[in-house]
Amino acid sequence: MPSAAPRFCECGRYTVPAGQQCPCAKRRKAARGSAWARGYDSDWQAARAAHLATHPACVDCGEPATLVDHIVSIRKAPHLRLDPTNFASMCASCHGRKTTRVDGGFGR
Ligand SMILES: [Zn+2]
């Protein structure tokens, strides 16, 4: 059985199993502009890819990272959106935990 690594969707939110379409593809087509308008544009995609290339491990658990988290939310610090010092490579499960923690009422 081929074991191609899952790729990460350009939307920055989903890991896509090899050979499959991102679950967000339809939604993105329907609402093009929403995620991108919030700042996840091509500049972010490039910065994110560069960060993952140089910081391939999750900062929390050391597993291979699949996404880049903003240490300080870009809602709170939009000027740090493309600042590498505000980037943290994370795996999906650690990021999920962080998102729950941070967005769960204890903003930082
Ligand atoms: Zn992790």
Side-chain angles (χ1 to χ4, degrees):
M1 183 164 158
S3 59
R7 72 197 161 82
F8 203 73
C9 174
E10 61 182 294
C11 71
R13 296 179 63 194
Y14 298 100
T15 304
V16 185
Q20 291 188 32
Q21 203 182 28
C22 173
C24 75
K26 261 182 247 151
R27 201 179 327 149
R28 201 168 63 243
K29 221 174 271 180
R32 184 173 289 284
S34 59
W36 302 82
R38 287 200 307 269
Y40 294 98
D41 56 12
S42 56
D43 285 346
W44 161 241
Q45 300 301 323
R48 177 187 159 281
H51 190 80
L52 277 180
T54 51
H55 302 79
C58 172
V59 295
D60 271 5
C61 69
E63 292 292 310
T66 54
L67 51 82
V68 173
D69 181 54
H70 282 106
I71 298 166
V72 179
S73 162
I74 60 172
R75 281 194 308 254
K76 290 168 185 154
H79 59 288
L80 294 179
R81 181 172 73 86
L82 296 175
D83 185 339
T85 63
N86 192 37
F87 294 174
S89 297
M90 296 188 106
C91 70
S93 61
C94 288
H95 183 255
R97 274 199 300 278
K98 186 205 157 174
T99 303
T100 304
R101 196 167 67 231
V102 172
D103 293 343
F106 296 97
R108 35 193 281 190

